[in-house]
Amino acid sequence: MKNHIKTESLVWETGKVKGFSGKNLINLENGGLKMVRVKAQSNYPTHLHPEKTEYIYVIEGSPKITIGEVNYNGVKGDFFILPNAIKHSIENNTDEECQLLVGAIKV
């Protein structure tokens, strides 16, 4: 694992869902962290992870984060915890790109 990463030198890798791409910052057996770019009008469908808790920090943009049945309108600086086995989704219903830090910890 590197102690210092210049994120601008990393390549955006196309994600599994259209409109989502990422730069891996940490990739360990028990968890990881990615910088995620969400293009305008892109949505990550509702899903859950029985074996890990995820977290999201909003770097820029205004994503809608749904955790369980609760919808949050995120803004720069917001932090969200998505507990394991709870359904969640990410939506960018704006005309501007969002950037997020998305991490996970195995439970």
Side-chain angles (χ1 to χ4, degrees):
M1 179 171 64
K2 295 181 181 179
N3 292 323
H4 181 233
I5 299 169
K6 293 201 174 271
T7 59
E8 63 274 0
S9 68
L10 298 175
V11 176
W12 288 104
E13 297 176 17
T14 303
K16 297 175 188 174
V17 174
K18 183 180 177 183
F20 284 72
S21 56
K23 293 182 177 187
N24 274 317
L25 302 176
I26 300 171
N27 191 11
L28 302 173
E29 188 175 316
N30 64 335
L33 181 68
K34 289 183 180 182
M35 186 180 299
V36 175
R37 180 171 59 189
V38 184
K39 292 191 176 188
Q41 304 302 323
S42 296
N43 300 307
Y44 203 106
T46 301
H47 63 286
L48 59 84
H49 307 280
E51 75 292 342
K52 64 184 175 181
T53 291
E54 287 186 309
Y55 50 90
I56 299 171
Y57 177 78
V58 180
I59 298 171
E60 65 179 41
S62 302
K64 176 182 164 188
I65 310 292
T66 301
I67 305 170
E69 301 297 321
V70 182
N71 297 314
Y72 300 93
N73 294 312
V75 296
K76 181 179 180 176
D78 281 357
F79 185 76
F80 299 93
I81 299 170
L82 294 65
N84 69 302
I86 302 293
K87 291 182 180 182
H88 56 274
S89 64
I90 303 169
E91 299 177 42
N92 181 8
N93 297 321
T94 73
D95 293 327
E96 303 292 326
E97 182 177 282
C98 291
Q99 267 196 27
L100 313 169
L101 285 177
V102 179
I105 304 168
K106 286 190 179 180
V107 292

